[in-house]
Amino acid sequence: MKTTTVKEALTISSLIGEKVTICGWVRTFRSNRFIALNDGSTIYNIQAVVEFEEIEEAKLKKINTGAAVQVSGTVVESQGKGQKVEIQVNEFEILGEANPEEYPLQPKKHSLEFLREKAHLRMRTNTFGAVFRLRHAMSFAIHQYFHNKGFYQMHTPIITGSDAEGAGEMFRVTTLDLDNIPKGEDNKTDTSKDFFGKETNLTVSGQLEAELGALALGKVYTFGPTFRAENSNTTRHLAEFWMIEPEVAFADLIDNMNLAEDFLQHLAQYALDNCMDDLEFLNEREIAEDKLKPQIERNELNLIDRLKFVTANNFERITYTEAIKILENSKPYKKKKFNYLPEWGSDLQTEHERYLVEKHFKKPVVISDYPASFKAFYMRQNEDGKTVAAMDILFPGIGEIIGGSQREERLDVLKEKCKAFNIPEEHVWWYLETRKFGTCVHSGFGLGFERLVMFVTGMTNIRDVIPFPRAPKNAEF
């Protein structure tokens, strides 16, 4: 059976006058004649007009919100307002019923909290249909960008014996019998009896392995799931999330900044060029939500303007030290409006990052040369001995969206870093060896995919941009 999507029926003008078959789910049914039908291909519904006098009453009662139906008929110019075309139906079939007394997504406004509890159905709503179509579009745009730039995708391990970030918040992977754990002479778990013969965890990053690829293939990127066992229930944390991590040989920190800026501008432009229907819906949704908020909590720019803000501006570049000075001379600092006072040696908070982007520079900002004290062991030590060649990119409404650095290519310095971070050399011997055999300047960065989707969709809770979120005490679906 050849079927036509709702999107095709609404956009291909040559289909007017043609007979088509469309399958989808009932959004609304009114006047015992008009069905609003959606199949997920677009934010818009198509109206199917059926002469129900010819249909038995028992079948008529089964046409409820959520039911799956198949309609066949002629595409005609619509006589009503709000749509250009509709389907004059001459064949109609109910494929799957939806009991109106049980189906939870009736045509009314539902809270995001309620819909998170219905994650198996929430993609049928306009909001989440738009979010997940945009998520797909961003995934495609990422692969397209790197392919066109000559990068090779690497599939790095999900199960790992190393902690790339040195944070220690990792999920343990084991086949040991938890009711009868083997012990060694020191009364600690004998990991030699485990499946891999050593302690293993779910990865927090594919970066270290991607560096190995870059030092052979030149330019590589990862795009895969990562995991962090951080007991956090904030709107910005997940236990399972996706990361994009390019690594480039013979590239320094400036090259890294240039790549990251070009990459983000490409993604924003791709959304504007290819996803405007969904963006316009989400834009209107955000404007309506903002009206219910106090003035101070409202967005400075609407969703579409934030995307254009990224594509239209060269990113401002400053050092961490310069950023601290700007913040210390700012009105919020002097009037004690910041919840956290910025000071040299401490990490910047989201409120500091948003001030720099939205109030001071009014453009995306790249901050470089952070204190080594709160950055990872693999970042290249600067000549001042206090800072590292790191960079973060800050966006309006969200703060940090990318973090990266020039990697430490000097073996002796990297060994000292391992000692300082209490990372045993035997755990990363393979990483250290790349600094013995043909070492070179190289750089990379990480983009949290869900953080990107939050920016592109305007959603404010990270659990609303991944189909089935994983968080503390929450592994449903």
Side-chain angles (χ1 to χ4, degrees):
M1 176 183 65
K2 183 180 185 300
T3 60
T4 301
T5 67
V6 171
K7 185 176 184 178
E8 290 168 339
L10 291 173
T11 58
I12 302 175
S13 58
S14 62
L15 288 177
I16 295 177
E18 297 292 320
K19 184 174 180 179
V20 298
T21 297
I22 295 178
C23 297
W25 294 273
V26 176
R27 286 292 178 85
T28 61
F29 173 42
R30 59 186 176 85
S31 303
N32 278 355
R33 190 178 180 207
F34 303 104
I35 299 175
L37 201 60
N38 192 284
D39 64 355
S41 62
T42 174
I43 191 71
Y44 299 115
N45 304 326
I46 194 165
Q47 180 167 274
V49 184
V50 188
E51 298 300 335
F52 284 108
E53 293 83 357
E54 303 174 10
I55 297 178
E56 61 270 23
E57 186 177 351
K59 194 173 185 180
L60 201 62
K61 290 181 177 179
K62 295 178 181 178
I63 306 171
N64 298 304
T65 298
V69 301
Q70 176 183 307
V71 299
S72 296
T74 305
V75 181
V76 298
E77 293 184 5
S78 179
Q79 300 302 308
K81 295 181 180 180
Q83 66 271 331
K84 293 181 179 179
V85 298
E86 60 190 23
I87 309 294
Q88 289 287 352
V89 177
N90 51 37
E91 294 179 38
F92 175 83
E93 183 179 352
I94 295 175
L95 304 176
E97 300 175 34
N99 187 330
E101 295 179 3
E102 297 180 1
Y103 186 60
L105 303 183
Q106 294 302 314
K108 63 178 183 178
K109 184 177 176 62
H110 297 285
S111 71
L112 296 177
E113 291 79 6
F114 171 79
L115 291 172
R116 280 177 217 131
E117 297 173 359
K118 309 294 180 185
H120 57 307
L121 297 171
R122 67 177 178 169
M123 282 177 273
R124 296 192 191 184
T125 66
N126 284 334
T127 296
F128 286 98
V131 166
F132 292 119
R133 280 188 295 270
L134 276 160
R135 183 181 171 105
H136 160 79
M138 288 298 93
S139 177
F140 176 81
I142 287 164
H143 289 296
Q144 178 192 60
Y145 178 86
F146 285 123
H147 177 77
N148 291 343
K149 292 288 184 179
F151 281 71
Y152 301 103
Q153 184 184 11
M154 277 191 68
H155 295 129
T156 53
I158 291 175
I159 300 173
T160 179
S162 66
D163 180 357
E165 300 295 331
E169 298 168 329
M170 304 179 76
F171 287 101
R172 180 78 176 269
V173 175
T174 182
T175 58
L176 294 177
D177 181 355
L178 299 185
D179 292 324
N180 188 26
I181 298 176
K183 301 288 186 178
E185 292 182 1
D186 56 2
N187 206 34
K188 293 183 178 180
T189 300
D190 184 359
T191 55
S192 68
K193 299 291 195 300
D194 212 339
F195 184 88
F196 293 104
K198 58 186 286 189
E199 182 177 336
T200 53
N201 306 282
L202 295 179
T203 186
V204 298
S205 169
Q207 180 206 308
L208 301 190
E209 292 86 355
E211 283 189 52
L212 313 186
L215 294 173
L217 300 173
K219 296 189 289 187
V220 303
Y221 74 103
T222 74
F223 191 158
T226 50
F227 309 84
R228 187 157 295 172
E230 184 177 0
N231 189 16
S232 175
N233 275 300
T234 76
T235 58
R236 291 172 178 256
H237 288 88
L238 288 170
E240 176 184 275
F241 52 99
W242 290 68
M243 287 289 293
I244 300 98
E245 296 172 298
E247 291 290 330
V248 185
F250 313 111
D252 61 16
L253 185 63
I254 302 301
D255 299 319
N256 205 32
M257 292 181 189
N258 293 341
L259 175 66
E261 180 173 341
D262 187 59
F263 177 50
L264 289 172
Q265 288 185 323
H266 168 82
L267 297 180
Q269 191 62 56
Y270 186 92
L272 290 167
D273 291 343
N274 296 278
C275 308
M276 190 52 75
D277 287 348
D278 287 322
L279 287 175
E280 286 176 342
F281 170 82
L282 292 169
N283 194 61
E284 291 302 315
R285 176 191 173 277
E286 182 182 89
I287 291 171
E289 292 288 325
D290 266 2
K291 290 178 180 178
L292 303 176
K293 298 177 181 178
Q295 185 70 37
I296 194 171
E297 295 180 14
R298 296 177 186 176
N299 288 288
E300 291 280 323
L301 300 169
N302 67 42
L303 173 60
I304 292 175
D305 285 344
R306 291 198 298 274
L307 289 166
K308 292 178 178 178
F309 178 93
V310 170
T311 61
N313 290 288
N314 292 325
F315 296 7
E316 187 72 29
R317 299 186 183 187
I318 58 173
T319 67
Y320 167 87
T321 300
E322 290 168 338
I324 293 294
K325 289 179 180 177
I326 291 169
L327 292 167
E328 288 177 340
N329 289 318
S330 69
K331 287 183 180 179
Y333 182 88
K334 292 175 180 177
K335 294 183 177 181
K336 298 182 179 180
K337 296 288 187 180
F338 286 132
N339 293 318
Y340 300 92
L341 289 180
E343 59 179 340
W344 204 100
S346 63
D347 205 355
L348 298 179
Q349 302 296 318
T350 299
E351 61 180 342
H352 306 146
E353 296 169 341
R354 291 190 61 179
Y355 171 81
L356 293 168
V357 174
E358 297 167 27
K359 301 292 187 182
H360 186 79
F361 289 111
K362 300 186 186 302
K363 61 171 65 174
V365 177
V366 188
I367 300 180
S368 64
D369 302 300
Y370 282 84
S373 58
F374 58 82
K375 288 297 184 180
F377 82 99
Y378 50 72
M379 296 184 176
R380 195 182 200 276
Q381 187 77 35
N382 287 331
E383 298 306 316
D384 61 14
K386 298 187 299 182
T387 63
V388 290
M391 64 96 177
D392 288 343
I393 297 184
L394 315 180
F395 265 20
I398 197 168
E400 180 192 338
I401 193 166
I402 270 181
S405 73
Q406 184 173 324
R407 312 313 191 189
E408 183 55 75
E409 85 280 11
R410 299 164 295 185
L411 180 61
D412 56 339
V413 178
L414 192 56
K415 284 186 173 183
E416 288 301 316
K417 285 283 197 78
C418 286
K419 287 180 183 178
F421 280 78
N422 295 315
I423 299 173
E425 289 188 18
E426 59 268 24
H427 287 188
V428 290
W429 64 269
W430 42 272
Y431 185 73
L432 295 173
E433 278 207 351
T434 59
R435 274 61 174 177
K436 291 169 61 179
F437 308 132
T439 190
C440 67
V441 169
H442 61 287
S443 300
F445 60 80
L447 168 66
F449 187 47
E450 283 72 30
R451 186 68 65 89
L452 170 70
V453 180
M454 286 176 71
F455 177 74
V456 172
T457 61
M459 303 302 284
T460 56
N461 192 317
I462 199 167
R463 301 184 193 196
D464 294 331
V465 296
I466 191 169
F468 306 106
R470 297 291 179 253
K473 310 298 183 184
N474 183 6
E476 199 63 64
F477 309 106

